[in-house]
Amino acid sequence: MTTVQILLSMAVCMFIGLMMTRVLKPLHLPDVTAYLIGGVLIGTYCIGQFIVGGYSFGFNSSIAPVDSFTIISDVALGFIAFDIGNEFRLKDLKKTGKQATVIGIFQAVITTLLVDAVLIGIHFLILNTTGTDYLPLPACILLGAIASATAPAATLMVVRQYKAKGPLTDLLLPIVALDDAVGLIVFAVSFGISKAMYGGSLDAVSIIAEPLLEIVLSLILGALMGLALSYLERLFHSHSNRLVLMITFVFLTIVLAKLSFHVGGVNIHFSSLLTCMMLGTIFCNICKTSEEMMERTERWTKPLFILFFVISGASLDLTVFTKPIFVIVGIIYILARSCGKYFSSMGCSKLMGCDKNTVKYLGITLLPQAGVALGMVSTVAADSSFGQSEIGSTIRFTILFAVLIYEIFGPVLTKAALTKAGDIQAKPHGITARRLDPHHQ
């Protein structure tokens, strides 16, 4: 792909993302939903099909494949994780730390168990009815594990756009971060069990040791980078230089988190999300000017996040609608996961003494699902046992369908829940009127 095509695609992404926020403004949809819909419009199945003068004004599989822009997704997710790490301030965790930990762990595990149970029941129902194994048991186990993951990106963008603040928001972001850490462990264990069911053998190293090492080493690497950033930040007094240093460290941390190597029979690798999250956590607790610097970072990352969400929308595979069996399984998966997230969060938050609005609306804010879940699907696809099998296809198309639905409607539901809980406040009428007045200076 040429430099001209890359720059053209990026310009179209940002333009269509911004324009969709204006087009959909009367519907009061979150900006992230507008970006995703804009991405679908310029994807392979819409505008991407049209080629003018040898250039595509969308994403075309032959001229401008969306996979070529994965670096933008990696960088954006790194900054999102860094931003979430900023929510782990010790002064705030003294109030919500215990609640976030208990709810984050138990809602993820309960959701996995519920989705497992529902899909295994559907497996036997389909098998006994049709005599064909359309939903293999290993696929049921893996889908249950993937159900535990929540999309931090969409949640954070809604919180940022509407400047949500309150008990629910204070609890939500730490839970989302913990949710993904728990999800990595649950997925690793389920992956090992599924491989054993498929004809392999249970491997304690891959089931227990490797996922635990991934989490521990990611947190250590992120902590070391956070300490280095906090120390070097003192050498600079200019806000712009400090901002450049902080951005540099996020980039460097993303690169280091991509490294992997073998020690004996153990595969050592890192989680970019956890590493960048710990970088943000250490930095915000040590650096005295971290809050001011994080506000400056938000302005820099706005175009990056628009690119990320538009590209995410363009990568959504609409061909899943041509496969009825996967649509049916996807609908069952969505319903089971949604019930798991909602009712487990409700029960856990009530048990932990949270206020009534948090109890009622927390589960809804945990519904979005995207990046982490797709990363788990990629792990399945790359496996020699599952990649080319019916199990791999079932998981891929089911999750693609679920992500398509969750990405479009998840941010809308998150906004509605935060509004109902009182964490999103309506702008005063006077301010809104002045902004709409063309003569207002």
Side-chain angles (χ1 to χ4, degrees), residues 116-168:
D116 277 342
V118 170
L119 292 181
I120 289 173
I122 297 298
H123 158 79
F124 286 111
L125 178 63
I126 294 175
L127 187 62
N128 293 334
T129 303
T130 66
T132 304
D133 193 5
Y134 287 112
L135 185 60
L137 275 176
C140 298
I141 301 297
L142 286 171
L143 286 171
I146 296 172
S148 63
T150 300
T155 303
L156 180 65
M157 285 296 288
V158 172
V159 170
R160 269 191 179 186
Q161 179 187 349
Y162 297 101
K163 296 179 173 56
K165 188 172 182 61
L168 176 54

Side-chain angles (χ1 to χ4, degrees), residues 16 20 36-43 45-48 313:
I16 197 71
M20 287 305 296
L36 290 164
I37 294 175
V40 172
L41 291 178
I42 63 173
Y45 307 100
C46 297
I47 296 175

Side-chain angles (χ1 to χ4, degrees), residues 30 137 139 144 214 257 278 314 337 350 396 417 427:
L137 275 176
E214 177 180 353
M278 181 55 77
R337 178 180 178 272
K350 190 172 184 179
R396 178 173 177 269
K427 292 187 178 80

Side-chain angles (χ1 to χ4, degrees), residues 237-421:
H237 303 289
S238 164
H239 289 311
S240 57
N241 286 338
R242 287 176 173 176
L243 178 62
V244 171
L245 180 67
M246 190 164 63
I247 293 170
T248 300
F249 261 78
V250 176
F251 271 91
L252 183 58
T253 303
I254 294 169
V255 172
L256 293 176
K258 291 290 182 182
L259 300 177
S260 64
F261 47 90
H262 292 273
V263 178
V266 180
N267 182 27
I268 304 296
H269 50 275
F270 304 90
S271 165
S272 180
L273 283 175
L274 291 179
T275 307
C276 291
M277 182 191 72
M278 181 55 77
L279 168 69
T281 300
I282 297 298
F283 176 68
C284 77
N285 282 288
I286 295 179
C287 178
K288 295 179 180 179
T289 60
S290 62
E291 289 192 47
E292 181 183 354
M293 291 177 66
M294 291 302 296
E295 290 179 3
R296 292 176 177 271
T297 307
E298 287 184 22
R299 302 169 193 169
W300 184 88
T301 55
K302 177 74 172 183
L304 176 65
F305 290 162
I306 293 176
L307 282 172
F308 169 68
F309 284 107
V310 173
I311 291 171
S312 297
S315 66
L316 294 175
D317 191 347
L318 303 184
T319 60
V320 294
F321 290 108
T322 65
K323 305 178 186 298
I325 184 63
F326 295 125
V327 172
I328 294 171
V329 173
I331 291 172
I332 295 171
Y333 168 87
I334 289 171
L335 292 175
R337 178 180 178 272
S338 300
C339 288
K341 287 288 182 182
Y342 182 77
F343 289 109
S344 63
S345 298
M346 178 184 288
C348 290
S349 56
K350 190 172 184 179
L351 184 66
M352 295 305 297
C354 298
D355 65 278
K356 63 179 183 180
N357 283 333
T358 299
V359 172
K360 189 173 181 180
Y361 297 111
L362 175 61
I364 298 174
T365 63
L366 296 176
L367 294 182
Q369 186 174 49
V372 178
L374 293 175
M376 294 175 179
V377 172
S378 299
T379 301
V380 175
D383 185 77
S384 56
S385 301
F386 293 145
Q388 302 302 318
S389 69
E390 185 181 353
I391 293 173
S393 298
T394 301
I395 292 171
R396 178 173 177 269
F397 283 106
T398 300
I399 297 302
L400 284 176
F401 175 79
V403 165
L404 178 64
I405 302 301
Y406 277 128
E407 282 289 80
I408 300 299
F409 296 102
V412 179
L413 293 173
T414 299
K415 176 200 170 186
L418 290 172
T419 302
K420 290 285 187 181

Side-chain angles (χ1 to χ4, degrees), residues 205-223:
V205 172
S206 61
I207 293 177
I208 300 174
E210 288 186 359
L212 287 177
L213 274 174
E214 177 180 353
I215 292 173
V216 172
L217 293 177
S218 297
L219 295 178
I220 291 174
L221 175 60

Side-chain angles (χ1 to χ4, degrees), residues 165-193:
K165 188 172 182 61
L168 176 54
T169 304
D170 292 341
L171 197 60
L172 171 61
L173 294 177
I175 287 176
V176 168
L178 286 168
D179 184 83
D180 290 330
V182 175
L184 289 173
I185 298 176
V186 172
F187 177 76
V189 173
S190 299
F191 193 71
I193 293 173

